[in-house]
Amino acid sequence: MARIAGVDLPKNKQVGVGLSYIYGIGRSNAKKILETLQINLSKKIGDLTDNEVANIRKAIDTECKVEGELKAEISMNIKRLMDLGCYRGLRHRKSLPVHGQRTHTNARTRKGPRKTAVKKKEAAKKK
């Protein structure tokens, strides 16, 4: 089993699909990386040589931000928006949809379970 960027890639998948198991690498990025290294897309990950795996690992380290580094950058961008107090930052702070979706109905994933009127009254009494 090949291990690239801290992720174990499944042996039975094609290389183009298997690389997409790494956070930050999709099918198009995987295809670009494999074309530059001249590795066949339909080759299975289990059939890669150690040299090919090392070349893929080196290409990903130099070209792409993946896994922890990418997640840290994304969270810093969100934190920056929240600190600025811009509209998108306020939406993140309130845990509401950010990209203009309606919230009158829907948006339950982002807003959480419904808070019925009965529960609101009970919460007010407790205070």
Side-chain angles (χ1 to χ4, degrees), residues 19-122:
L19 286 178
S20 66
Y21 278 55
I22 300 170
Y23 183 80
I25 297 181
R27 299 284 294 270
S28 60
N29 276 349
K31 186 176 180 182
K32 287 177 190 174
I33 290 169
L34 295 174
E35 283 176 356
T36 58
L37 297 175
Q38 297 176 345
I39 297 174
N40 188 3
L41 281 167
S42 61
K43 195 172 188 179
K44 302 282 185 179
I45 291 178
D47 298 336
L48 292 174
T49 64
D50 291 338
N51 190 27
E52 288 172 331
V53 172
N55 288 339
I56 291 171
R57 190 176 295 124
K58 190 185 305 178
I60 288 173
D61 288 341
T62 58
E63 294 178 23
C64 307
K65 286 187 179 180
V66 292
E67 292 294 324
E69 185 181 354
L70 180 61
K71 288 179 183 177
E73 181 183 342
I74 290 170
S75 67
M76 289 302 296
N77 288 340
I78 292 171
K79 190 176 288 188
R80 178 180 52 84
L81 290 172
M82 290 168 60
D83 291 341
L84 286 174
C86 64
Y87 182 77
R88 282 176 54 203
L90 295 175
R91 301 296 284 185
H92 276 291
R93 198 179 300 163
K94 295 177 183 177
S95 295
L96 292 170
V98 178
H99 295 289
Q101 300 93 328
R102 68 180 285 134
T103 57
H104 179 71
T105 59
N106 301 336
R108 293 289 16 141
T109 301
R110 188 74 182 166
K111 291 168 69 174
R114 288 189 172 87
K115 300 170 189 85
T116 59
V118 176
K119 290 183 181 177
K120 287 182 183 177
K121 288 180 184 177
E122 290 175 4

